[in-house]
Amino acid sequence: MDERGTGDLVYCQFVTTEPDTLARALCMKTDDLLNALPQLAPWRPKVGISPRLS
């Protein structure tokens, strides 16, 4: 049991299970992974759509 006597394990007082917090953590983890291993990112053209003059 933890100090509160609830029987729940307390891993860190700053970790929450709110959806916004979990989504942000997933985005940060994904960004870190893609920065470390850029070959895993989907293919994208080097330049965007070029303007056409008509």
Side-chain angles (χ1 to χ4, degrees):
M1 283 195 200
D2 64 351
E3 300 83 303
R4 295 175 293 186
T6 60
D8 296 331
L9 295 176
V10 178
Y11 294 108
C12 181
Q13 64 184 1
F14 302 108
V15 176
T16 64
T17 56
E18 296 177 14
D20 291 341
T21 305
L22 296 175
R24 184 176 295 131
L26 178 61
C27 287
M28 291 175 63
K29 184 69 172 176
T30 303
D31 286 344
D32 291 344
L33 178 65
L34 291 176
N35 284 332
L37 301 168
Q39 68 271 16
L40 295 179
W43 178 84
R44 294 188 176 200
K46 293 205 181 264
V47 291
I49 300 170
S50 59
R52 286 191 267 170
L53 300 174
S54 53

